[in-house]
Amino acid sequence: MDPTIAATLGGAVGLVIGAVAVLAGRWSERSYADAPLPEDPPLPRGVGDVLSVLRSIAIVVDTSDAVVTSSAPAVTYGLVRRGELVHSEMRHLARQVRRDGVIREAELDLARGPSPDASVVMRVRVAPLGVSHILLLAEDHTHARRVEEVRRDFVANVSHELKTPVGGIALLAEAVLDAKDDPEAVARFAQRIQVESTRLGRLVQEIVDLSRLQVADTLHEPQLVELSAVVAEAVDRVRVAAEAKQIEVSAVAPEVRVFGDPDLLVTAVANLLTNAVNYSDASTRVGVGLRRVGETVEVAVTDQGQGIPGTEQERIFERFYRVDAARSRATGGTGLGLAIVKHICANHGGEVTVWSEEGRGSTFTMRLPVAVEPATDDTPAGTADDGVPAGTRGESTA
Ligand code: ADP
């Protein structure tokens, strides 16, 4: 055959074969898409084994969204129940990826149960796995989100709170300049600058304390702390302020130990005592008592002061919340004292509550777990785990 004809014929045959191949491919694609898969092919080897030891959340679903396998945390986090994805948001992502094969990432707020208030924030990554499976990986970002929200709120509040003393100092400095020929006025303004800057210093210190407490949920190296010593030191700290108002502070503090940070515990009790003195009239009484109730020790600070309206009692533990802002400012309050107490109690595995009646007074009670010390050979009998060491139970009065 003429070589030119042969080449032409060969080309034509090639074209036809190519066209048939393309058509066949298209047809097979269409029929693949139209027809339901008869059965999902098995998972790639080893996937199940890997997932069974994963500490993170991993879920594999098949073409009908049924969960083929998942890591244990997927169940404990409530993302998988009875072989199904619990949340429609996750199913939706899986379907999108199945449709176009494009890997997707999203941050989802997912309900933890029937209550709409309890939710988790999950950072989810969804990718195709083999021909017909979808892999969903999730990380719990709830804590990270909370920290970020707390940080944002905190920065907003702090800048607002700092503006007041800083603005006050600027105005007072201006007044000093204007009154430079009047030594008495200069002395008066300078004294007020001193008061404002002391307040500013305390505010900054409390902001630092509180942000440290908020970041660390638990204590790092708790020590065995004798609470009666904590109470004695806290009472010492408010002595001068109490005496200035002829307020008698009495303490009843038997020896009870807790695990914790002694400085933080003194700060907490001193904050409660400072408030008791600040929000009480002159010549009243303030008391602090320690009492063991089962495995808990209660530290109660009681005053005969103005009291707190019922509607405000929940809110006073919030940062910068004050019932009477003018009075708080007049006493040098920062609005952070009770928020600090609340965090210190939480970090020690305890809580703080308030009982109060307007005009009658208030009692703030810190409840902390009593230290359970490991029994040793030389531990006197009966004191191995009751947290109350042998010896006299003291009573101290300030
Ligand atoms: P502050 O620095 O303003 O005292 P706190 O966080 O310590 O801030 O207290 C918040 C608010 O709770 C106070 O401003 C005050 O209105 C109220 N409060 C706290 N303790 C007492 C108390 N013992 N008696 C009456 N009111 C109190």
Side-chain angles (χ1 to χ4, degrees):
M1 195 186 294
D2 181 305
T4 324
I5 295 173
T8 312
L9 263 179
V13 169
L15 263 180
V16 170
I17 291 173
V20 168
V22 168
L23 280 176
R26 293 232 174 111
W27 175 82
S28 93
E29 261 174 31
R30 201 173 312 137
S31 56
Y32 181 78
D34 291 348
L37 281 176
E39 202 173 306
D40 285 317
L43 268 184
R45 276 175 56 156
V47 170
D49 294 343
V50 171
L51 260 61
S52 69
V53 293
L54 269 188
R55 289 231 214 124
S56 49
I57 300 167
I59 306 162
V60 176
V61 293
D62 64 13
T63 47
S64 54
D65 283 343
V67 174
V68 181
T69 180
S70 66
S71 62
V75 178
T76 48
Y77 266 96
L79 302 186
V80 170
R81 199 181 314 131
R82 290 194 203 98
E84 286 191 352
L85 286 173
V86 171
H87 301 93
S88 56
E89 298 92 326
M90 303 264 287
R91 285 197 294 276
H92 180 65
L93 274 177
R95 278 174 202 158
Q96 283 182 321
V97 172
R98 187 175 302 116
R99 207 172 305 133
D100 56 20
V102 178
I103 295 174
R104 282 185 170 74
E105 274 190 352
E107 193 162 282
L108 305 175
D109 277 49
L110 302 174
R112 266 217 99 145
S115 157
D117 297 335
S119 65
V120 278
V121 179
M122 286 286 169
R123 179 122 208 98
V124 186
R125 195 173 157 81
V126 187
L129 180 71
V131 201
S132 55
H133 292 100
I134 302 290
L135 172 67
L136 299 103
L137 300 170
E139 269 173 62
D140 183 358
H141 270 225
T142 315
H143 183 67
R145 165 92 69 93
R146 209 191 82 209
V147 168
E148 177 53 26
E149 281 169 3
V150 166
R151 194 194 62 78
R152 237 190 353 242
D153 275 20
F154 201 43
V155 170
N157 283 338
V158 162
S159 38
H160 174 79
E161 292 292 329
L162 288 177
K163 270 185 201 150
T164 314
V166 170
I169 290 171
L171 282 176
L172 287 164
E174 225 176 274
V176 169
L177 283 176
D178 288 347
K180 56 182 178 295
D181 300 326
D182 178 354
E184 245 178 57
V186 168
R188 211 172 48 244
F189 292 138
Q191 212 170 29
R192 286 180 54 196
I193 289 178
Q194 214 171 27
V195 170
E196 285 300 318
S197 47
T198 307
R199 211 169 95 75
L200 191 58
R202 194 168 51 241
L203 185 56
V204 170
Q205 184 55 51
E206 291 199 348
I207 288 166
V208 171
D209 290 349
L210 187 56
S211 49
R212 276 206 199 114
L213 284 166
Q214 282 176 325
V215 170
D217 274 347
T218 48
L219 296 170
H220 281 306
E221 281 168 15
Q223 305 164 29
L224 206 49
V225 183
E226 178 48 65
L227 271 186
S228 58
V230 166
V231 167
E233 192 175 333
V235 169
D236 233 34
R237 283 201 197 168
V238 294
R239 196 186 299 278
V240 173
E243 278 172 6
K245 289 175 82 174
Q246 289 96 46
I247 290 178
E248 188 192 328
V249 182
S250 55
V252 178
E255 291 180 357
V256 184
R257 296 195 223 178
V258 296
F259 282 118
D261 179 319
D263 293 338
L264 289 180
L265 290 168
V266 171
T267 301
V269 181
N271 282 2
L272 295 180
L273 283 170
T274 304
N275 282 347
V277 170
N278 282 345
Y279 299 104
S280 293
D281 291 338
S283 308
T284 52
R285 289 166 59 93
V286 166
V288 49
L290 256 185
R291 189 165 76 106
R292 190 178 164 162
V293 183
E295 291 309 299
T296 305
V297 53
E298 293 183 350
V299 186
V301 174
T302 301
D303 64 56
Q304 302 172 319
Q306 63 191 65
I308 303 158
T311 47
E312 311 276 357
Q313 288 175 17
E314 287 260 304
R315 302 211 57 194
I316 52 173
F317 295 97
E318 293 171 18
R319 289 167 315 200
F320 300 117
Y321 190 84
R322 297 136 169 143
V323 177
D324 177 350
R327 173 140 191 183
S328 161
R329 205 148 275 142
T331 57
T334 59
L336 291 177
L338 288 180
I340 289 176
V341 176
K342 185 177 109 178
H343 279 281
I344 292 175
C345 289
N347 289 13
H348 283 76
E351 57 164 15
V352 55
T353 54
V354 60
W355 171 91
S356 187
E357 211 177 292
E358 272 185 282
R360 276 191 65 190
S362 314
T363 296
F364 285 82
T365 308
M366 291 169 51
R367 286 186 191 79
L368 305 169
V370 170
V372 178
E373 295 172 61
T376 55
D377 289 347
D378 52 2
T379 307
T383 61
D385 68 354
D386 67 2
V388 184
T392 43
R393 284 157 193 267
E395 205 175 278
S396 65
T397 309

